Amino acid sequence: QVQLVESGGGLVQAGGSLRLSCAASGRTFSSSAMGWFRQAPGKEREFVAAISRSGSSTYYADSVKGRFTISRDNAKNTVYLQMNSLKPEDTAVYYCAAALGLTIAVIRERSASRREAGFNSWGQGTQVTVSS
């Protein structure tokens, strides 16, 4: 398994930006698709974005498309989530997760409620709060 540690969360005003990082340890990082998920108070955890093992393919939830960008640096064992034009409804705990062998095509075909399937390594989360 991959051990994951998120960082970069904080408090930001609406319209602002944050960049989250997720540092991974373990030998399977470059063989794993990586994803970002979030959980707002009183809500279920939801999919935000995913990136393929090589970084050549990405997929986003409709709610963040055009505002968030996921990227990865396999040399640094790190995945990033650049968040721009933040809105109060983006307030949540953000988690990164790893899915060994999963492809973006499979993630894209799944319904929203099943996008966590296959992600078997999770970080502890980092809080993002967007004030209005």
Side-chain angles (χ1 to χ4, degrees):
Q1 279 193 338
V2 179
Q3 288 74 49
L4 304 170
V5 179
E6 302 96 336
S7 62
L11 174 64
V12 64
Q13 288 189 333
S17 298
L18 281 175
R19 188 176 83 153
L20 305 183
S21 299
C22 174
S25 60
R27 293 180 293 176
T28 60
F29 176 78
S30 60
S31 300
S32 300
M34 298 296 296
W36 285 96
F37 295 78
R38 66 187 182 186
Q39 187 167 22
K43 295 187 177 181
E44 293 190 354
R45 190 161 57 191
E46 65 175 1
F47 170 80
V48 174
I51 189 166
S52 62
R53 293 171 290 179
S54 67
S56 60
S57 297
T58 57
Y59 181 59
Y60 298 91
D62 288 343
S63 59
V64 306
K65 199 175 298 181
R67 300 187 298 122
F68 290 11
T69 302
I70 188 171
S71 61
R72 67 188 296 164
D73 185 337
N74 284 347
K76 296 182 178 180
N77 276 18
T78 303
V79 63
Y80 306 96
L81 185 69
Q82 177 67 44
M83 305 185 295
N84 298 329
S85 301
L86 282 161
K87 304 175 181 180
E89 52 263 44
D90 294 318
T91 294
V93 177
Y94 283 71
Y95 300 89
C96 72
L100 184 63
L102 194 63
T103 67
I104 295 300
V106 171
I107 296 171
R108 185 179 287 118
E109 289 174 358
R110 288 177 174 163
S111 62
S113 63
R114 294 190 60 246
R115 291 211 176 102
E116 286 195 18
F119 285 91
N120 49 22
S121 296
W122 292 80
Q124 294 298 309
T126 186
Q127 176 70 46
V128 172
T129 303
V130 184
S131 63
S132 57

